[in-house]
Amino acid sequence: MGFFDGLMGGRAAQFQSGSASSNAIELTKRHPTVSLSKQGAVNGNLRVNLSWRMRTSDFGGRSRQSGRLLRHPSKLFKPEIVQAHTQGVVNVDLDMGCLYELADGSRGVVQPLGNLLGDLNDPPYVKLSGDDRFGSPSGETLYVNLDHADEIKRLLVFVYIYDQTPAFDRTHAVVTLYPTTGPRIEIALDERAPEARSCAVLSLENVKGELVVRREVRFVYGFQAELDRLYGWGMQWGRGYKTAKG
C-alpha cells in the first residue's frame, strides 16, 4: 500500500517525425507543440496511452539483456525486478492521471486513486480505462471526448510512481496520443530524474477555439498537490491511499 495526494474538496504546430515510425509526431524540447485543430482531429475520442519498460542498462548490461530478449522476445514488456537505491528489490509501477478544468470553471482530477475514473459522455469528458500495475504492452489508457472540446478549457496529463520508490531514471516510459485523424503523437519521459515521484507529461489546452497539445515533461518530487501548485489549479488536497492488488 502506498500513499499519494488524494483530492479533497500559445498556438503552435511545430513538430518532427518520430524515429520509430514515419506516421508519428514526436514532441521534443525544440518542438514541444502541435495543433489538433490543424490536423482536423477535434472530434471523437482522443486516446492517450502510457506504456513503459525498464532500461536495459539496469539488468546486467545492454548486451546481456538484448541477447535474452532475442531468445525470448515475449519478455520485452514483462515486468522486471530492479534494484532500488535504498529499499532492496522493487517493482516499478507507474500510474497515469489527468487534472482538468472545464469552460464553466469546474476543476478536478481523473486518477486511479479514489477510483476517480471520470466519465466520457458527461463532465469531465475524460475517462481512465483502469490501472495497469506493471506496464504491459497495452499500458494504461485515458480517453478524451473531443466532441465536447468546447466545454474543455485545459487538461494536464501526469504520471506518478505508485510504490513511492523514485525510479523514473530506470524506466523508459512513453505517452502516446492517438487522434481520430492524422499521425499519433509521442512524448518520451527521457530525462533522468532519480528522486522524482511525479511528472507532468503534457497539456491539452483550448486556445481561442484551437486545441493545442504541449509537451511538458516536468518532474517534481511530490505528487498531485505539487503539480497543482506548479500549474495553478487551486484545489485542496489531502493524503490518500491506494489498496494493493492481489
Side-chain angles (χ1 to χ4, degrees), residues 16 18 24-29 31-34 48-52 96 156-159 172-178 184-191 199-204 212-219:
Q16 65 184 36
I25 294 171
E26 181 184 0
L27 297 187
T28 65
K29 282 185 175 181
H31 304 289
T33 59
V34 64
V48 183
N49 178 260
L50 165 68
S51 60
W52 74 93
M96 180 167 60
L156 180 71
V157 175
F158 61 89
V159 173
H172 178 72
V174 177
V175 172
T176 306
L177 287 72
Y178 297 90
R184 69 182 185 271
I185 301 164
E186 298 178 347
I187 302 174
L189 278 64
D190 52 3
E191 299 175 20
C199 178
V201 180
L202 67 96
S203 60
L204 174 63
V212 177
V213 175
R214 174 177 293 275
R215 175 192 184 272
E216 301 291 341
V217 189
R218 299 179 69 177
F219 290 93

Side-chain angles (χ1 to χ4, degrees), residues 219-234:
F219 290 93
V220 300
Y221 301 104
F223 296 103
Q224 291 89 324
E226 189 168 345
L227 292 172
D228 182 311
R229 288 191 293 271
L230 187 62
Y231 287 90
W233 240 262

Side-chain angles (χ1 to χ4, degrees), residues 82-183:
V82 300
Q83 186 71 29
H85 294 297
T86 58
Q87 284 190 258
V89 179
V90 298
N91 282 310
V92 175
D93 175 25
L94 302 182
D95 277 340
M96 180 167 60
C98 178
L99 289 171
Y100 64 83
E101 181 178 2
L102 302 184
D104 65 4
S106 58
R107 301 175 183 181
V109 65
V110 173
Q111 63 182 16
L113 176 63
N115 202 36
L116 300 172
L117 302 182
D119 195 295
L120 200 56
N121 298 310
D122 291 302
Y125 309 112
V126 179
K127 175 75 173 180
L128 186 64
S129 66
D131 174 18
D132 173 14
R133 181 57 57 86
F134 294 117
S136 72
S138 62
E140 293 188 13
T141 302
L142 191 78
Y143 295 92
V144 182
N145 187 347
L146 294 184
D147 289 335
H148 294 270
D150 290 343
E151 300 176 60
I152 298 173
K153 181 177 180 180
R154 60 173 177 158
L155 305 176
L156 180 71
V157 175
F158 61 89
V159 173
Y160 61 94
I161 293 179
Y162 168 70
D163 64 6
Q164 303 177 62
T165 302
F168 274 114
D169 61 329
R170 296 197 301 280
T171 62
H172 178 72
V174 177
V175 172
T176 306
L177 287 72
Y178 297 90
T180 53
T181 60

